[in-house]
């Protein structure tokens, strides 16, 4: 059996042209040497060609995978030329699988496979062959490598390693549109036979999709895929090896194809008419109802907007972006008495229209929204509704008619209406209104110059239902009458030079009039009759209701008269005509050669009035007497102040400092200057260390005792309710402590045994200098004398 299998293998190898070649020698060498049995080397010329003797004889071995026989599988035979069949040669192999997978007959060199081989696990094995002398174990040939290749058979089916597959294609795509690609892998040898040649086919779903048998690309097989009918398909794709021939292996996978949406469906209203009801009193913007159009598409292809094609005068429609609903709301107030039913045509339109499908029809739809208006009790309505403007003369009498307001009940019942004035808009009660007729009359006298307009609010209510009320503004304009005289705009003053030329306009005056005649103002200017004797100035009308003052005479002298008062009479155009008199003050001034004013006297003259030189002298004498009196008073005060300072320096302890001001309370630290009080207890600095220490100790003791005394007095005052408040002025009599010099009596000083030192008295200042001389120890010169 082994012999027949071996013969078959060799026959197969010979047929495939895979017989082994020489391992150590080549047959076309130009000049080669080969070993002989005796080890000699033969040299050949460069041009000699001769066959090289082969030392090894074997083939490249092949072994078929998945052998299932019970006997070891013959692989091949290794042989050396030195083997003469006497059994002196021992063949061995080493390398991958040697001794385990592959065994060798040491005598014959036959190699067998003892295990079942799998090409998909290992495609070939590399081994090394060795021929040795059996007796000496010396190598007869160099060790050489050879390969045992595992021959492939079709034992692996195609597999879809990347599945499951999910693809997508737009609906209504044309035939042949590529959807996706599937790939199957075959573990067999792609270089040997057709074991790894795979073709594809569709087992389930071939009615709608096809697959390219060589590439595995799935394509649409129909052009009418409709997502709204079926949005996904499950295909079964098969892969078969051996190029689909008989005996080939196959594998399959499931492919899910999702049909994506395109905008191929228009919006549609489920109903052709919707009915809603709303009250006539509903405010503007109140929603009436919601309608929605459906769209078989999905995503943004369902986005739509709504329009009103008819009935948009009183209603409007908006689109709810979340629910895609049309919200119909009130645009203007509704009136049951005017119209009770409204038909509104609402249209739905797709936002995103695909031009590829416009031939499928119009992508819009319409429906009718019928709105029924229900009646409610409404407050009275004014005519005109925006308010009324009335006019009245400012000199109208109390009780005069100003105007009439009109209001009525808009309901079918037409109930009676009562009128009143909102007193918050007429707190002075200038106007009254008849509650039944709405006639507004005057309650007080008017003054246009105080208030030219009055804005009041009239309230109208139903007679039997006070909650049904409405308000309307009424503006009353006060018409002007001529009751205010014209007046000069300002107290006018003018200045002229002494050498001014006659005919020159020195000033222009204007007037104001609080009245506002319909024909406009027109004023007449004249000089007052009191100034008729004046010949120096004249007055003439100028445009824009102003007048100019001209000089008629020349030769002014400001020392004789430097001020002129010119009365001017102004009359308005009425009716009736009113007038007033104003005064223009004209100053005569000294000017330079170029006409610039240098100085003007302040003394005023009324026409010819003037002061005499004697009066001027008397005035100067009075002023001089006043100056002398002031100087005398200041000198006397300074003298008294010097005496007071001398007395203060004489003995500060005799002074009493008194404050009559209560001050700013406990928190006021800036009300008084306490430096004067503090100075009473300041002592001159001691010149010697001993005297300074004694003085400081005495002062500290004195002040601590004084502080205790003051604290005790304050506590008594706080406890006594009959004493003045805490921040009042308190007077305390306190003698203080004894002098640090102890007693200065002459009785003690007579004692010669006294060792007391009074030298520090000289440090107490000028006041104690004489006393220090009495008690200071005598000089040595005086004692000697």
């Amino acid at each position: 059996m082994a012999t027949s299998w071996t013969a078959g293998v060799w026959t197969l190898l010979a047929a495939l042209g895979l017989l082994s070649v020489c391992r150590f020698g080549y047959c076309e060498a130009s000049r080669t040497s080969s070993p002989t049995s005796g080890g000699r080397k033969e040299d050949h010329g460069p041009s000699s060609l001769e066959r090289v003797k082969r030392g090894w004889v074997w083939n490249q071995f092949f072994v078929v995978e998945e052998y299932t026989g019970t006997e070891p599988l013959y692989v091949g035979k290794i042989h050396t030329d030195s083997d003469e069949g006497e059994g002196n040669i021992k063949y061995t192999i080493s390398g991958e699988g040697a001794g385990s997978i592959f065994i060798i007959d040491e005598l014959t060199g036959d190699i067998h496979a003892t295990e079942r081989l799998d090409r998909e696990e290992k495609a070939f094995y590399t081994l090394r062959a060795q021929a040795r002398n059996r007796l000496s174990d010396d190598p007869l040939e160099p060790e050489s490598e050879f390969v045992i290749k595992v021959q492939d058979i079709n034992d692996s089916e195609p597999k879809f390693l990347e599945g499951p597959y999910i693809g997508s294609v737009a609906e209504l795509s044309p035939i042949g549109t590529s959807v996706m690609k599937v790939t199957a892998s075959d573990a067999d040898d792609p270089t040997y036979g057709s074991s790894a040649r795979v073709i594809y086919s569709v087992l389930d779903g071939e009615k709608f999709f096809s697959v390219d048998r060589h590439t595995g690309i799935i394509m649409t097989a129909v052009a009418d895929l409709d997502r709204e009918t079926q949005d996904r398909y499950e295909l079964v794709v098969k892969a078969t090896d051996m190029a689909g021939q008989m005996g080939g292996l196959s594998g399959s996978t499931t492919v899910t194809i999702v049909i994506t949406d395109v905008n191929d469906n228009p919006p549609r209203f489920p109903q052709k008419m919707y009915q809603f009801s709303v009250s006539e009193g509903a405010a503007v913007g109140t929603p009436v109802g919601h309608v929605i159009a459906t769209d078989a598409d999905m995503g943004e292809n369902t986005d739509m907007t709504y329009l009103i094609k008819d009935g948009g005068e009183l209603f409007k429609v908006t689109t709810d972006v979340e629910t895609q609903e049309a919200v119909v709301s009130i645009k203007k107030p509704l009136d049951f008495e005017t119209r009770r039913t409204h038909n509104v045509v609402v249209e739905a339109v797709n936002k995103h229209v695909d031009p590829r499908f416009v031939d499928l029809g119009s992508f819009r739809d319409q429906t009718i929204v019928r709105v029924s208006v229900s009646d409610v009790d409404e407050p009275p309505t004014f005519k005109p509704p925006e308010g009324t403007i009335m006019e009245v003369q400012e000199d109208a009498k109390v009780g005069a008619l100003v105007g009439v307001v009109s209001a009525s009940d808009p309901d079918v019942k037409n109930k009676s209406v009562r009128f009143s004035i909102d007193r918050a808009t007429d707190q002075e009660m200038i106007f009254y209104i008849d509650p039944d007729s709405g006639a507004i009359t005057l309650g007080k006298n008017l003054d246009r110059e105080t208030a030219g307009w009055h804005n009041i609010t009239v309230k109208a209510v139903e007679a039997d239902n006070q909650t049904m009320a409405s308000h309307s503004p009424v503006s009353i304009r006060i018409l002007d009458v001529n009751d205010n005289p014209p007046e000069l705009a300002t107290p006018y003053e003018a200045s002229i030079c002494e050498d001014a030329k006659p005919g020159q306009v020195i000033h222009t005056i204007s007037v104001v009039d609080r009245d506002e005649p319909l024909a406009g103002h027109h004023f007449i200017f004249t000089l007052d009759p009191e100034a008729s004797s004046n010949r120096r100035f004249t007055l003439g009308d100028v445009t824009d209701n102003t007048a100019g003052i001209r000089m008629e005479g020349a030769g002014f002298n400001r020392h004789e008269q430097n001020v002129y008062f010119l009365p001017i009479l102004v009359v308005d155009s009425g009716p009736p005509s009113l007038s007033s008199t104003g005064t223009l003050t004209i100053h005569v001034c000294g000017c330079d050669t170029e006409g610039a004013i240098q100085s003007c006297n302040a003394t005023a003259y009324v026409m010819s009035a003037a002061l005499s030189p004697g009066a001027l002298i008397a005035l100067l004498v009075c002023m001089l007497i006043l100056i002398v009196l002031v100087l005398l008073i200041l000198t006397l005060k300074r003298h008294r102040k010097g005496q007071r300072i001398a007395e203060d320096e004489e003995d500060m302890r005799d002074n009493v400092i008194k404050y009559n001001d209560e001050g700013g309370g406990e928190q006021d630290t800036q009300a008084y200057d306490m430096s004067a009080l503090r100075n009473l207890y300041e002592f001159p600095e001691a010149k010697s260390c001993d005297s300074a220490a004694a003085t400081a100790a005495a002062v500290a003791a004195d002040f601590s005792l004084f502080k205790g005394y003051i604290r005790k007095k304050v506590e008594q005052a706080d406890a006594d309710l009959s004493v003045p408040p805490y921040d009042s002025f308190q007077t305390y009599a306190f003698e203080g402590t004894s002098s640090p010099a102890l007693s200065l009596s002459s009785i003690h000083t007579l004692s010669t045994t006294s060792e007391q030192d009074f030298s520090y008295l000289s440090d107490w200042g000028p006041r104690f200098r004489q006393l220090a001389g009495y008690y200071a120890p005598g000089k040595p010169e005086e004692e000697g004398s």
Side-chain angles (χ1 to χ4, degrees):
M1 179 178 181
T3 303
S4 62
W5 173 258
T6 303
V9 171
W10 285 112
T11 304
L12 177 62
L13 295 178
L16 296 175
L18 298 176
L19 295 177
S20 62
V21 295
C22 301
R23 173 66 180 86
F24 294 103
Y26 296 92
C27 297
E28 66 257 22
S30 60
R31 181 179 180 180
T32 60
S33 61
S34 60
T36 61
S37 59
R40 288 186 304 106
K41 298 183 180 179
E42 296 180 358
D43 296 334
H44 302 275
S47 60
S48 64
L49 295 175
E50 105 180 11
R51 186 180 180 121
V52 178
K53 179 182 178 182
R54 294 182 301 172
W56 283 100
V57 179
W58 69 67
N59 301 307
Q60 180 175 345
F61 303 123
F62 291 86
V63 59
V64 179
E65 67 171 335
E66 305 294 344
Y67 170 69
T68 58
T70 58
E71 297 293 333
L73 177 63
Y74 179 79
V75 177
K77 181 183 183 66
I78 60 176
H79 186 74
T80 179
D81 291 345
S82 59
D83 187 359
E84 298 178 356
E86 296 177 355
N88 298 326
I89 306 299
K90 182 177 70 173
Y91 296 97
T92 61
I93 59 174
S94 61
E96 296 178 337
S100 58
I101 299 177
F102 304 102
I103 59 177
I104 187 170
D105 190 325
E106 295 182 352
L107 294 176
T108 63
D110 294 333
I111 301 174
H112 291 79
T114 62
E115 295 182 8
R116 182 179 178 179
L117 303 179
D118 187 359
R119 192 203 66 83
E120 285 72 35
E121 293 182 1
K122 191 171 180 62
F124 61 91
Y125 296 85
T126 303
L127 293 91
R128 292 180 299 278
Q130 180 71 57
R132 293 178 178 273
N133 188 291
R134 182 177 296 275
L135 298 178
S136 63
D137 200 33
D138 293 330
L140 301 178
E141 301 286 349
E143 188 180 53
S144 179
E145 282 188 356
F146 65 97
V147 175
I148 300 176
K149 191 173 183 179
V150 181
Q151 188 70 44
D152 180 54
I153 64 173
N154 189 20
D155 60 342
S156 298
E157 72 277 4
K159 294 181 179 179
F160 293 91
L161 302 179
E162 299 177 1
Y165 295 90
I166 299 177
S168 63
V169 65
E171 61 177 331
L172 301 181
S173 296
I175 297 175
T177 301
S178 177
V179 179
M180 61 182 303
K181 181 180 181 179
V182 296
T183 303
S185 299
D186 196 318
D188 292 325
D189 189 358
T191 63
Y192 178 74
S194 300
S195 299
R197 292 180 59 190
V198 178
I199 62 172
Y200 302 91
S201 61
V202 177
L203 294 182
D204 189 8
E206 66 277 5
K207 180 179 178 181
F208 303 101
F209 297 93
S210 62
V211 62
D212 187 285
R213 59 182 289 136
H214 299 292
T215 62
I217 297 176
I218 300 175
M219 299 169 289
T220 58
V222 295
D224 58 350
L225 293 175
D226 187 9
R227 188 202 64 83
E228 289 73 33
T229 303
Q230 185 174 349
D231 61 353
R232 65 177 54 222
Y233 293 86
E234 300 287 342
L235 303 182
V236 177
V237 178
K238 184 177 73 171
T240 306
D241 61 9
M242 296 296 293
Q245 299 176 5
M246 185 70 68
L249 303 179
S250 64
S252 62
T253 186
T254 300
V255 179
T256 302
I257 299 179
V258 178
I259 309 301
T260 59
D261 185 61
V262 297
N263 192 11
D264 59 337
N265 293 280
R268 290 288 181 264
F269 284 103
Q271 302 174 214
K272 290 303 179 183
M273 178 177 290
Y274 296 85
Q275 291 189 354
F276 301 101
S277 179
V278 64
S279 171
E280 67 171 333
V284 173
T286 302
V288 175
H290 297 71
V291 297
I292 186 170
T294 60
D295 194 325
D297 296 320
M298 62 183 299
E300 68 174 10
N301 294 326
T302 62
D303 293 346
M304 62 187 74
T305 56
Y306 296 92
L307 308 172
I308 290 184
K309 302 299 291 184
D310 190 14
E313 299 83 8
L314 300 177
F315 300 92
K316 66 177 181 179
V317 63
T318 55
T319 304
D320 190 324
V321 295
E322 298 294 335
T323 63
Q324 291 296 307
E325 289 182 314
V327 182
V328 181
S329 57
I330 299 175
K331 183 178 180 181
K332 292 183 179 180
L334 304 177
D335 188 9
F336 172 82
E337 287 73 26
T338 302
R339 188 174 179 182
R340 303 184 181 184
T341 303
H342 301 270
N343 291 326
V344 182
V345 178
V346 179
E347 183 179 64
V349 182
N350 266 141
K351 282 186 178 180
H352 312 288
V353 178
D354 196 329
R356 296 177 299 172
F357 309 110
V358 293
D359 56 343
L360 296 179
S362 175
F363 284 82
R364 59 183 63 210
D365 193 24
Q366 294 181 352
T367 188
I368 298 176
V369 177
R370 177 167 292 177
V371 182
S372 299
V373 182
S374 59
D375 187 28
V376 294
D377 192 5
E378 299 175 273
T381 57
F382 284 90
K383 295 180 181 178
E386 63 274 4
T388 306
I389 298 178
M390 301 178 181
E391 295 180 347
V392 61
Q393 294 282 347
E394 67 173 320
D395 59 349
K397 303 298 182 182
V398 174
L401 178 64
V402 178
V404 179
V405 294
S406 175
S408 60
D409 184 9
D411 297 322
V412 178
K413 298 180 181 179
N414 195 15
K415 300 176 182 179
S416 57
V417 177
R418 297 290 181 267
F419 300 94
S420 62
I421 294 177
D422 185 358
R423 288 305 172 189
T425 62
D426 185 24
Q427 297 181 358
E428 298 180 1
M429 302 182 70
I430 301 176
F431 304 97
Y432 290 96
I433 189 171
D434 187 281
D436 296 319
S437 64
I440 299 177
T441 56
L442 195 60
K444 289 184 178 180
N445 293 325
L446 301 174
D447 183 11
R448 190 204 63 82
E449 287 70 35
T450 303
W453 286 85
H454 293 275
N455 298 312
I456 63 175
T457 301
V458 177
K459 179 180 178 182
V461 298
E462 292 183 1
D464 57 352
N465 187 358
Q466 298 294 323
T467 61
M468 291 291 102
S470 58
H471 300 78
S472 177
V474 177
S475 299
I476 302 174
R477 180 183 180 184
I478 310 304
L479 300 179
D480 182 54
V481 296
N482 193 28
D483 57 349
N484 292 279
E487 299 175 351
L488 292 182
T490 59
Y492 286 104
E493 293 187 5
S495 299
I496 59 175
C497 296
E498 291 179 300
D499 56 352
K501 297 179 180 180
Q504 180 180 354
V505 177
I506 62 174
H507 204 72
T508 301
I509 60 174
S510 61
V511 298
V512 293
D513 194 332
R514 298 175 61 191
D515 296 320
E516 291 183 0
L518 296 178
H521 290 290
H522 181 69
F523 304 105
I524 301 174
F525 299 86
T526 59
L527 292 177
D528 190 89
E530 297 179 359
S532 58
S533 60
N534 174 53
R535 293 294 182 267
R536 289 186 174 273
F537 305 99
T538 60
L539 187 147
D541 287 341
V542 192
T543 57
D544 299 329
N545 290 322
T546 59
I549 309 300
R550 294 177 179 273
M551 290 192 319
E552 293 298 332
F556 291 95
N557 188 346
R558 62 190 175 100
H559 298 289
E560 296 180 358
Q561 183 176 351
N562 70 332
V563 177
Y564 293 88
F565 297 101
L566 190 63
I568 300 174
L569 177 66
V570 184
V571 182
D572 62 16
S573 56
S577 297
L578 301 178
S579 63
S580 67
T581 301
T583 302
L584 172 63
T585 303
I586 303 174
H587 298 272
V588 180
C589 304
C591 303
D592 56 13
T593 57
E594 296 180 357
I597 296 176
Q598 297 295 323
S599 64
C600 300
N601 291 334
T603 306
Y605 298 90
V606 179
M607 294 304 177
S608 60
L611 290 178
S612 62
L616 292 175
I617 295 174
L619 181 60
L620 292 176
V621 172
C622 292
M623 293 179 62
L624 182 60
I625 294 174
L626 289 175
I627 293 173
V628 172
L629 289 175
V630 171
L631 293 176
L632 289 175
I633 293 172
L634 292 176
T635 303
L636 182 60
K637 284 186 176 182
R638 182 173 297 178
H639 179 68
R640 290 182 179 180
K641 184 176 180 182
Q643 291 180 349
R644 189 181 299 111
I645 293 174
E647 293 175 358
D648 292 343
E649 292 179 354
E650 183 177 352
D651 192 357
M652 292 179 65
R653 291 174 296 175
D654 294 341
N655 295 337
V656 176
I657 299 175
K658 182 178 180 181
Y659 294 90
N660 294 327
D661 191 354
E662 291 185 0
E666 297 179 3
Q667 303 300 324
D668 188 359
T669 60
Q670 306 295 329
Y672 303 101
D673 183 8
M674 303 300 293
S675 60
L677 291 176
R678 294 191 182 98
N679 291 335
L680 295 177
Y681 299 98
E682 291 181 357
F683 296 94
E685 297 181 358
K687 295 183 179 178
S688 63
C689 297
D690 296 337
S691 62
T695 303
V699 172
D702 191 1
F703 272 93
S704 62
L705 182 62
F706 183 80
K707 289 171 61 178
Y709 176 80
I710 293 299
R711 187 182 301 107
K712 182 177 180 181
K713 287 296 184 180
V714 171
E715 291 175 354
Q716 292 177 358
D718 291 342
D720 191 356
L721 301 179
S722 62
V723 299
Y726 176 79
D727 57 354
S728 64
F729 181 81
Q730 300 290 336
T731 303
Y732 303 108
F734 183 68
E735 294 181 358
T737 59
S738 61
S739 171
L742 300 179
S743 175
L744 299 178
S745 172
S746 60
I747 298 175
H748 293 283
T749 59
L750 295 176
S751 176
T752 58
T753 60
S754 175
E755 298 179 357
Q756 189 172 3
D757 185 8
F758 296 99
S759 60
Y760 58 84
L761 293 176
S762 60
D763 298 331
W764 283 16
R767 300 178 184 179
F768 296 90
R769 187 173 302 158
Q770 187 175 1
L771 183 63
Y774 294 152
Y775 288 90
K779 297 181 180 180
E781 296 178 358
E782 297 177 356
E783 292 178 358
S785 60

